[in-house]
Amino acid sequence: KILESLSLDTQVSMMMDFGKRDYFIPATATEDDMSRAHSGANLNTTFNANSVLNYSDTFGKNKQHAVVGLAGIEVNTNVNNSFSAEALDGMSDYLKIIKGYKKENTEAKSDIVRTNMISFFGLVSYGYAQNRYKIEGVVRRDASSRFGRNNKYATFPTIKVHWAFSEEP
């Protein structure tokens, strides 16, 4: 809390998700009499940070007027690393790993996908009569690596008008 009506909220998080999958199918369990071996691993790392400056105040007779505003920034990065190897037709059903399969019957691939996004956003709201009547505007501006090479930025504006007729006398 910076002042009575002004506060700053900052959050940072990181998540790591690791998966590994290995399996073997013996030749006796396939239609084409070829054994199969697979090995794969995946590491997904996500980092997120945001900071929001909030303003909220009521004033006037019986606090009839309410003003709310906020401005914020959010940063998000995701990195996905994956690897997999598959092999067909091993020398023996007792060999349950990819080592030992013929080179021409083995395929391996890896991939790294990184995405980034930064967002700026703001909200302004005015309410009257304990928010019985309210108008609110929000705008968000995003820059993302997922939007495409020639279109990195997008703006998302909204406006809302609210009347709580159930609160009418």
Side-chain angles (χ1 to χ4, degrees), residues 15-155:
M15 180 184 77
M16 294 181 79
D17 181 20
F18 177 75
K20 182 160 177 36
R21 182 175 184 203
D22 294 308
Y23 65 85
F24 171 77
I25 303 171
T28 56
T30 64
E31 290 180 2
D32 57 7
D33 295 324
M34 288 184 172
S35 62
R36 287 174 172 64
H38 172 89
S39 182
N42 184 299
L43 173 62
N44 189 24
T45 306
T46 301
F47 171 79
N48 185 276
N50 65 61
S51 193
V52 179
L53 184 64
N54 295 290
Y55 175 81
S56 179
D57 199 7
T58 55
F59 56 93
K61 184 180 176 185
N62 298 325
K63 304 248 183 209
Q64 290 284 70
H65 304 276
V67 175
V68 175
L70 68 83
I73 184 172
E74 181 175 8
V75 177
N76 185 289
T77 298
N78 184 279
V79 180
N80 189 330
N81 292 291
S82 62
F83 168 80
S84 70
E86 295 181 340
L88 293 172
D89 200 20
M91 296 180 295
S92 164
D93 277 353
Y94 295 107
L95 188 63
K96 296 180 169 61
I97 59 172
I98 291 176
K99 181 179 177 182
Y101 279 76
K102 293 178 185 174
K103 185 176 171 181
E104 58 271 11
N105 292 346
T106 305
E107 180 184 325
K109 54 190 166 201
S110 66
D111 197 13
I112 298 174
V113 177
R114 181 184 185 113
T115 58
N116 298 299
M117 186 166 92
I118 185 166
S119 301
F120 302 93
F121 50 91
L123 171 141
V124 176
S125 172
Y126 169 74
Y128 177 71
Q130 281 76 39
N131 286 324
R132 189 181 325 157
Y133 313 102
K134 190 174 184 181
I135 186 165
E136 184 175 276
V138 179
V139 67
R140 182 177 179 109
R141 175 98 169 138
D142 294 336
S144 175
S145 59
R146 293 180 178 175
F147 285 164
R149 187 174 303 273
N150 298 323
N151 191 21
K152 295 279 185 207
Y153 305 94
T155 303

